[in-house]
Amino acid sequence: MNGRHTRGFTLLELLVVMAIIATLLTIAVPRYFKSLDRSKETVLRQDLATMREQIDRYSGDKGHYPESLATLVTDHYLRALPVDPFTGDSEHWQPIVSDEPENPGIKDVKSGAEGNGQNGVPYAEW
């Protein structure tokens, strides 16, 4: 080396390290996004179950279905309408109205999110 000390990395060494990092990212990133989608689906299922349970409690207590989802909040059955994890707000819930003339109101709720779950069923049908 004729007296010179070389410092740093060669271009080839940097390219090898970048190739290893890129390979690791191609393995990790899809798993990360898949786990994010799974967690959003879990939150959606839980939110729907909670709202449906509170609709049933409201109906049992008052003898009729709530007029709107906001009624569940104003009558303290829910603290607030949950945020749909896929739409990002609480305004896209799809209320299902009762077809019974003697018992009108909201009897069920579904997500307003577009797309399908990992099971292939559209979110709007959950």
Side-chain angles (χ1 to χ4, degrees):
M1 285 230 198
N2 60 10
R4 274 184 26 193
H5 294 288
T6 58
R7 292 183 161 218
F9 298 103
T10 66
L11 181 60
L12 183 60
E13 290 170 331
L14 289 175
L15 288 174
V16 168
V17 169
M18 287 175 51
I20 291 170
I21 290 172
T23 303
L24 292 174
L25 285 175
T26 59
I27 294 169
V29 169
R31 289 183 182 191
Y32 172 72
F33 285 118
K34 194 172 192 176
S35 70
L36 279 180
D37 288 341
R38 253 194 327 266
S39 63
K40 284 182 180 181
E41 287 182 6
T42 301
V43 169
L44 178 62
R45 280 191 181 96
Q46 184 62 43
D47 288 346
L48 287 170
T50 299
M51 286 191 293
R52 288 170 176 157
E53 181 180 349
Q54 296 310 316
I55 289 170
D56 291 343
R57 286 185 180 174
Y58 182 97
S59 176
D61 291 348
K62 309 272 185 176
H64 59 86
Y65 292 120
E67 296 81 32
S68 68
L69 294 176
T71 304
L72 295 174
V73 176
T74 58
D75 288 352
H76 305 292
Y77 284 85
L78 292 173
R79 288 186 182 184
L81 284 178
V83 173
D84 187 317
F86 289 101
T87 62
D89 65 24
S90 60
E91 301 297 319
H92 284 92
W93 296 112
Q94 300 297 315
I96 307 300
V97 179
S98 171
D99 53 359
E100 304 169 24
E102 66 278 353
N103 195 5
I106 307 298
K107 70 174 183 176
D108 196 6
V109 63
K110 296 193 182 270
S111 174
E114 296 179 3
N116 295 337
Q118 292 182 358
N119 59 2
V121 177
Y123 298 125
E125 293 181 14
W126 287 17

